[in-house]
Amino acid sequence: NPRLFYKRCLCFVEQQNITGVLKFLLLGLSDDPELQPLIFVFFMSMYLVTMLGNLLIFLAVSSDSHLHTPMYFFLSILSMADIGFTSTTIPKMILDIQTHNRVISYAGCLIQMSFYSFFGCLDSTLLTVMAYDRFVAICYPLHYLVIMNPRLCSLLVLVSFLISLLDTQLHCLLMSQLSFCTNVEIPHFFCDPAQLLKLACNDTSTSEIVIYIIGVISGGVPLSGIIFSYYKIVSSILRVPS
């Protein structure tokens, strides 16, 4: 592979410049100085709206006893996951635009990537859990409160957290095995695992296959569960006489 050979040669040449603290340069969305204020305003507005909307949902569910039901319980957890997912990448990018410093340390990159993977996977699993909740509510309405009891709801949330944590640990373990040269530039505004694989100096074929399998499982299984749940819901509704 010529590309891999070139990267290995580059690492060998730059070995004398490698320090104990490896840093990455986040290139962001654009280098145009005229676009920076526009990008800043857009992402700041989007972040504030996301934070405010999800916080209002969480506070409304927590304060109103009428909303202490499985559906709104899952919705409040999903709101917190959305806040965490957004806060993992957007504040760093906004700060970089303001300070004109897009450097992130190796440890910081791994931490950001870990939280990004965790909250992203948690969002997917919670959406699957909520689809199952709607399936039970519509297809088995008389047994809904018995099936979706507080114990099962807590267990579903705990399983979602554990699956997300496992996904995060696998991503972090694979990324920590990669070797990078100095002056690594990431063509993104956060530490994207796919971009890190492209920038690694060592052979990443195994890591790419494993990450692809993890992505298919963590994305395909929840999506299949959601589609199946709503298929059963639509089928049940169509059987009801008009």
Side-chain angles (χ1 to χ4, degrees), residues 1-42:
N1 190 330
R3 176 174 170 269
L4 180 60
F5 177 75
Y6 171 75
K7 291 168 70 176
R8 286 178 174 175
C9 290
L10 183 62
C11 283
F12 178 78
V13 172
E14 294 183 346
Q15 271 186 348
Q16 65 273 17
N17 296 324
I18 295 178
T19 60
V21 181
L22 181 64
K23 296 183 179 180
F24 300 104
L25 179 64
L26 300 174
L27 299 182
L29 298 177
S30 175
D31 292 330
D32 190 351
E34 296 181 357
L35 289 178
Q36 298 305 309
L38 182 62
I39 295 175
F40 175 83
V41 172
F42 175 76

Side-chain angles (χ1 to χ4, degrees), residues 130-140 228-229 232-233 236:
M130 294 177 70
Y132 173 74
D133 172 71
R134 292 300 85 202
F135 161 73
V136 175
I138 295 175
C139 297
Y140 304 96
F228 179 77
S229 296
K232 299 295 290 186
I233 289 171
S236 299

